[in-house]
Amino acid sequence: METSRIAHFFKAKLLLLHVGEKTEEKERQILEILSQIEHKDLEVSIEWKTGKPDQVLLETCKSSNIDLLILGALQHENLYQFYVGSIARKLTRKVCCSVLLLIKPSEERIPCKHVVVNGLEDEGTALAISNAVYVSNALGAKQLTIVEEIRQKEVAVSVQDDKSLKKASILKERLRHREDSRVRKLLKSIPGDYLKNLKVKTQSIFGKRGYSIGHYAEVVRADLLVMNAPKKTGLLDRVFPHDIEYILSDLPTDLLIVRKTH
């Protein structure tokens, strides 16, 4: 149900992929679900394939030129799942397209009101923000918050007295101004029609990247968090997690991971 609504809002075709043997009972169940979707004009196709789920999904996304892979995901992962990796985590690292992880798919639509997107200084951020604006419009969200995560080490001042406290405060304000200016420049490239019905604000937060924005999204009860796709996929990244790993292990809300497709 949730996936069919998303496909409708994005004006997209929907491909349902079942990894496993095709049986009359499974086919009946899927057709029964499809008969109950709200948008009857949605173009839907069903494919049946056998093999390892993650490998089949990876290959299908590539061969079928998929733009968005939608998956159900665990909101909280235990230590074993973090290191061994769930199917959703493996696909997030390796798939060729953007990924939408849904933690609480609903039969009845729950309106999307507030979208949060990362605004960190990265080559993929412009794409993430433009996608966040598009998704906000498609889903009818009225508020978009661009979060600029500033590493605490950038404020390298030891606060010991009023003078050092003032110095740290001035430095933080300068960093906020720098980040706001950078993000505002990115927004200028987005057509005005996409922004006129959307309240856009910027929010600077200091702390560990990934963890900070995930916590922020949870505190403000965001309906969707949009992030850049992770670049590295090596063993060291699983032992020493990078930004997005903190979010994947404890999802604060539905998560859209934006990856540039060719």
Side-chain angles (χ1 to χ4, degrees):
M1 294 297 186
E2 191 81 77
T3 302
S4 67
R5 282 194 292 267
I6 292 169
H8 169 75
F9 290 133
F10 290 173
K11 297 179 174 60
K13 299 175 183 178
L14 177 60
L15 168 62
L16 298 177
L17 176 62
H18 184 281
V19 183
E21 295 293 336
K22 181 179 180 180
T23 66
E24 290 185 3
E25 177 61 20
K26 288 178 182 177
E27 186 175 27
R28 186 194 63 77
Q29 290 174 349
I30 292 175
L31 293 176
E32 174 65 23
I33 293 171
L34 288 175
S35 71
Q36 299 175 38
I37 64 174
E38 302 166 49
H39 309 287
K40 304 300 182 182
D41 59 341
L42 182 66
E43 186 176 343
V44 183
S45 61
I46 307 171
E47 290 190 13
W48 304 78
K49 296 184 179 181
T50 57
K52 293 183 178 179
D54 55 332
Q55 197 60 44
V56 171
L57 283 164
L58 287 171
E59 291 170 357
T60 303
C61 285
K62 188 174 182 179
S63 62
S64 300
N65 295 317
I66 300 299
D67 299 302
L68 177 65
L69 174 63
I70 302 177
L71 299 166
L74 293 172
Q75 185 168 11
H76 305 290
E77 288 189 348
N78 60 32
L79 189 62
Y80 175 78
Q81 289 167 323
F82 180 82
Y83 284 104
V84 174
S86 65
I87 291 176
R89 182 182 292 278
K90 290 178 182 177
L91 289 167
T92 297
R93 291 191 181 104
K94 298 178 181 179
V95 75
C96 61
C97 60
S98 297
V99 180
L100 176 59
L101 300 177
L102 302 176
I103 60 172
K104 294 178 181 177
S106 174
E107 289 191 13
E108 299 294 327
R109 190 192 175 216
I110 300 174
C112 179
K113 299 177 181 178
H114 186 188
V115 176
V116 171
V117 58
N118 72 257
L120 58 87
E121 190 168 3
D122 182 84
E123 62 183 17
T125 294
L127 181 64
I129 292 176
S130 64
N131 272 260
V133 171
Y134 170 78
V135 169
S136 296
N137 277 272
L139 299 181
K142 298 300 182 183
Q143 182 173 342
L144 174 66
T145 302
I146 303 172
V147 174
E148 305 133 0
E149 290 180 287
I150 303 173
R151 298 183 191 276
Q152 195 64 43
K153 65 181 181 181
E154 291 194 57
V155 190
V157 178
S158 176
V159 178
Q160 297 176 336
D161 51 30
D162 289 346
K163 186 177 180 180
S164 58
L165 177 61
K166 184 178 180 180
K167 184 178 179 181
S169 298
I170 291 172
L171 180 55
K172 281 190 174 184
E173 193 57 39
R174 285 176 179 171
L175 289 170
R176 287 193 187 99
H177 180 72
R178 180 197 72 187
E179 293 300 298
D180 284 351
S181 297
R182 180 178 56 77
V183 169
R184 291 297 172 187
K185 288 180 181 178
L186 293 176
L187 285 171
K188 287 181 180 179
S189 64
I190 296 173
D193 286 347
Y194 282 93
L195 298 171
K196 64 182 181 181
N197 295 320
L198 190 61
K199 180 182 178 183
V200 180
K201 64 171 284 189
T202 59
Q203 177 68 52
S204 296
I205 54 177
F206 294 82
K208 189 183 293 293
R209 284 186 174 175
Y211 175 81
S212 299
I213 192 171
H215 181 66
Y216 177 84
E218 186 172 25
V219 169
V220 301
R221 296 184 179 179
D223 300 294
L224 178 67
L225 174 60
V226 182
M227 295 285 293
N228 299 349
K231 293 184 180 67
K232 299 178 181 179
T233 58
L235 176 61
L236 285 177
D237 291 293
R238 304 185 72 174
V239 179
F240 303 102
H242 48 73
D243 303 353
I244 208 167
E245 296 294 335
Y246 295 106
I247 296 170
L248 288 173
S249 61
D250 195 11
L251 289 169
T253 186
D254 292 344
L255 174 66
L256 172 61
I257 301 173
V258 176
R259 178 176 277 107
K260 185 177 181 179
T261 55
H262 300 282

